[in-house]
Structure formats: C-alpha cells, structure tokens
Amino acid sequence: MSRVRRFAALACALGAWACAVGPNFKPPSTPPAASAPFVSAQPAIASGEATPDAWWRLYDDPVLDGLVQDALTENEDLKVAAANLLKAQGVLQQARAGLFPTTSLAVNDLWGVSGSDQLVAALANQPVQRGWFASGAFNAAYEVDIWGRIRRSIEASRADTQAAADAENVVRITVAAETARAYADACAFAEQADTARKSADIAQQVLDLTTRQRDLGAKSDFDVASAAAVLDQTRAMIPTFEGERRAQLFELAVLTGRPPSEISQAAAACTAPPTIATPLPVGDGAALLKRRPDVLQAERTLAGDTARIGVAVADFFPTVSLTGSTTTGGANAKQFFSASSFSYQLGPMITWTFPNVLVAKAEVVQARAQASASIAQFDSVVLNALKETEQALTTYDAELARHSALTANRDDNQRAFDLAQIQLQRGSISFPDLLVTERNLDDAKAQLAASDQALVEDQVAVFQALGGGWQSAPPVIPPKAP
C-alpha cells in the first residue's frame, strides 16, 4: 500500500505539472489587402455599410421572407448538415471521456465444477460435486495525461465540432441564396411570359388591321402572311417562359422541404421579380473574412489538425496509468460476499513503444503534412472568398449598366413603333417597315425583362459571396434515426 500511495502522489504531481506536447494553434494571418474595401464596390452599386444577416429582407417582399424562413427550417440538405454536426458533438463527448477512469463490471453465474473442488475430491478419493458458481469482477484504469495526449485529442475534436457547425452554416447560406434565386427566377419568367403575351396582343392587332386592309384592297396576302408570322413567332416564346417558371416553382418547393407537387401558391402568383433600389450594403474585406463560414471552417480545420500533431508527438513518450481490479466468487451468496472471497490489485502501469518509434515518427509526419495542407487550404479559401465577392460586384455593376441601356433601348423602340403606325396610315412608310419596328420593340422588351432577372440573380450572388444569412437563421433539428 505504501508503494501505491507514493505512486498516486507522484501521478498527481505529474498531472499538475503536465504539459501538452506539440505546437499550440495560432490563427493564420491574411494578406493586408484582404481587410481593405472591395475594389469593385463602386458608390453607385454598393455602400460600406455592414451586410445585414437576413439580407433577403432588403427586397421588402413578405412572400420571399416566408419562403426563406421555411427553407432554413425544413430543407433536407440542412438536416443532413445538422446531423453531421450532431455526430461531431458525439465524437467530442467521446474524447472528453478520456479525462475520466475507464471502468468495467462483470458478473456471471455458471454451472459446473471448479478446479479447486476437483483437486479436493481427487485427494479425498470422493466424487466431484457439481453446482452453481457465481463470480464477479470490477476493473478500473485511469490514464495520467502527462504529455497532453488526451487534452490534444479533446482540442482537435472541439475544433472539428466547430468546423462542422461552420459547414452547416455554409449550407444555410447556399439554401437561402438558392431559395431567393429560385423565387426571383419564377417571378422573372412570369414577367417575361407576360411581356410576350402583350407583344402577341400587339402583333394580333397588327394582323387584324392588315387583314381588314387586304379585304379593302390596300394590302396583299404577302402582308397578311408576314404579320401572321410575327404573331406566331411571338406566341412561340410564351410556352418556354411558362415551362421555366414551373420548373423554378418545383425547385422552390423542394428547397423548402416539400414535394414538387406542393408548389407555393404565393410564389406562383408573383408576376415580377423583387428589386432593391438602393446600393447594396457590402462592408469590407475584414468583415467578409469574419462572416464567411467557409473561412471560419478552414481555420477550425487547421486548429484541429494542429492539435493532432500533439496527439502524434505524445506517442513518443510512455503512457502512465493507474489500474485496479477486485474479484469475488462463491457457490452461494454467503461465499460470494465473504471477505475471504474478495481479492484486489492496485498499482501503476507504464506502456511505451520505445525503442521502436518508427510508427510514432510516421504518425507525426502525416499529422504535420495534414496541417501544412490545411494552412494552404485556408489561404485558398480566403483568396477565393475575396475573388467571388469582387467577381459578383463586377458582374452586378456591368448588368446595371446594361439594364440602363436596355431601358433606353426599349423606350426608343416604343417611340419608333408608335411613329411607324402613324406614318403607315399616312403612307410615309411601307408595311414591312412597320413589321421591322414591331420586331425591334418585341426584342427590346424581351431583353429588358431578361435583364430584370439577371439583376436579381447578380444581387443574390453578391449576398451569397458576402456570406450573409446564417447568423440569424433558426436551428435545424435533424430527423431521428430509426
């Protein structure tokens, strides 16, 4: 017992002064330019204000707000990410269990003959007595974490859990953006279909007028056929837009956790894409890197891989454990609980792979290589986040300029068509000239409607690149396992 007490005191002292081998994690640095304002954030399109968490509310569209809320709570991909986070939390709990002793208890009751009974019967020249024999054993072991192997394992698991939470937030951003994009596309295709129907109405009026004039002898069958061709061409675009609109409504249903047959009636009633009239709040690079969950995920992954270097280094050193066990047995309850039946053992156990440390060396090499890869991955994620934001802002700026030019083009073609109708009645131009102005007007309207759709998609791309949408999102509960 004196030896046990001395070893226990020594183990406690070692535990108090124990150090965690391996490198300590330090947040990686980012390029100084990464914290500067975005070079593509021109005052006409963006402001330096912080990006709001629920950026979709900038559209001031209650239908969109409800759809995103549904998607962030019911989307199946999000439930997968939530289950992965739950799994990572379970691994962390398992790692923390290493701080406590491992115990086992075994009790059995067996029919047969014990070795001692057989020996006694043989010496006494008597028959062997068979019967029930119960036995029990309790074992316990506690690893003294001198080198920090357990603490480094917990540190790595904690970082992995945080990385899993960030991975879930990456999915949140994608789901919110895809929901807003699908809704905007459904509305935009409805607008384009409506524009095509209005153009078809105008083409029908021209055809009716041309037919009447032919009946009066003022126009030819060729003029009627030409007007009918314009009408057919315009009508042919409507089914395409309607089909695209339905496809986006199906996409929207699945994003919100519903089967395609259960489309949102509110979204189906939308006739024009939502708009944001003010410059987009984008902040700067420093805020971006603190907000983008993929950057945070890469940093936490690096932290976990750094901690795993310490786990590998700890294998170079001996493992010190306090172990103990007690057993008892007997043919009846009195014998089972008798003091004479009890036996116990308590003492230290040291295990060490020395002098063959080749496996430990290989594990350290692998852990350091993985950490180096994680550093490069972090740098890549940072650069990609900045690149995606700059590209999204540049594309949005270009589309805004294009949309302004298309608006002017639509207005000019509208005036040209109105004048062409007047001049045709006066005999100043020919009928083919009127058809040309009509086609130009239809094309201008179609291009402007497509630009309306592109503008919203570009805005969503900017907000997705900025990493907004997960901070205020509701929690997702994964489905229960069968």
Side-chain angles (χ1 to χ4, degrees), residues 218 356 384 479:
N356 185 2
N384 186 66

Side-chain angles (χ1 to χ4, degrees), residues 202 410-425 429 434 437-438 441 445:
I202 296 176
R410 188 273 317 274
D411 295 341
D412 291 341
N413 277 283
Q414 184 66 58
R415 286 193 294 271
F417 178 70
D418 294 340
L419 292 173
Q421 287 181 305
I422 297 174
Q423 292 177 357
L424 180 65
Q425 295 176 357
I429 62 172
L434 175 65
T437 58
E438 182 185 0
L441 176 59
K445 289 180 177 179

Side-chain angles (χ1 to χ4, degrees), residues 1-15 144 320-322 346-348 350:
M1 288 301 295
S2 60
R3 290 183 179 180
V4 172
R5 292 191 183 98
R6 285 197 297 270
F7 184 80
L10 177 61
C12 292
L14 289 174
V144 183
V320 180
S321 301
L322 280 177
L346 178 65
I350 299 177

Side-chain angles (χ1 to χ4, degrees), residues 14 18-23 143-152 309-321 349-361 363-364 368:
L14 289 174
C19 61
V21 295
E143 179 180 344
V144 183
D145 194 25
I146 301 175
W147 318 111
R149 184 188 68 83
I150 297 175
R151 281 172 288 154
R152 288 300 192 192
I309 296 176
V311 176
V313 172
D315 288 340
F316 280 106
F317 303 96
T319 300
V320 180
S321 301
M349 182 178 68
I350 299 177
T351 58
W352 198 5
T353 59
F354 182 83
N356 185 2
V357 294
L358 294 178
V359 174
K361 286 183 177 179
E363 291 175 347
V364 172
R368 291 189 181 277

Side-chain angles (χ1 to χ4, degrees), residues 298-349:
E299 180 182 321
R300 291 292 85 204
T301 299
L302 174 58
D305 291 337
T306 302
R308 273 181 277 273
I309 296 176
V311 176
V313 172
D315 288 340
F316 280 106
F317 303 96
T319 300
V320 180
S321 301
L322 280 177
T323 62
S325 65
T326 179
T327 60
T328 186
N332 51 54
K334 183 178 180 180
Q335 293 179 2
F336 188 88
F337 291 104
S338 173
S340 59
S341 299
F342 277 91
S343 65
Y344 68 89
Q345 293 176 332
L346 178 65
M349 182 178 68

Side-chain angles (χ1 to χ4, degrees), residues 108-287:
N108 56 44
D109 193 12
L110 303 176
W111 171 266
V113 180
S114 67
S116 59
D117 289 343
Q118 286 183 322
L119 179 60
V120 171
L123 293 175
N125 195 21
Q126 295 178 352
V128 178
Q129 298 294 324
R130 293 176 175 81
W132 290 96
F133 187 86
S135 63
F138 175 78
N139 300 293
Y142 173 71
E143 179 180 344
V144 183
D145 194 25
I146 301 175
W147 318 111
R149 184 188 68 83
I150 297 175
R151 281 172 288 154
R152 288 300 192 192
S153 297
I154 295 173
E155 182 181 345
S157 296
R158 184 183 297 111
D160 291 343
T161 301
Q162 294 167 344
D166 293 325
E168 181 186 16
N169 291 330
V170 171
V171 180
R172 289 181 186 275
I173 290 176
T174 303
V175 168
E178 290 301 322
T179 301
R181 186 178 290 112
Y183 173 72
D185 285 346
C187 297
F189 284 124
E191 180 188 42
Q192 294 179 58
D194 185 62
T195 299
R197 278 189 287 267
K198 291 178 179 178
S199 297
D201 291 340
I202 296 176
Q204 183 67 60
Q205 294 174 11
V206 172
L207 175 60
D208 294 342
L209 176 61
T210 305
T211 302
R212 290 194 298 270
Q213 290 179 334
R214 181 203 59 184
D215 294 341
L216 296 174
K219 299 295 179 183
S220 65
D221 289 338
F222 173 77
D223 294 331
V224 173
S226 298
V230 173
L231 175 60
D232 294 337
Q233 183 180 12
T234 305
R235 283 177 173 172
M237 299 180 343
I238 298 175
T240 300
F241 294 138
E242 286 293 346
E244 293 287 353
R245 183 182 74 90
R246 295 283 296 177
Q248 293 303 316
L249 290 175
F250 294 148
E251 177 75 13
L252 198 56
V254 173
L255 283 168
T256 53
R258 300 181 180 90
S261 58
E262 298 180 10
I263 63 174
S264 169
Q265 296 303 316
C270 180
T271 57
T275 59
I276 299 178
T278 59
L280 305 183
V282 299
D284 55 21

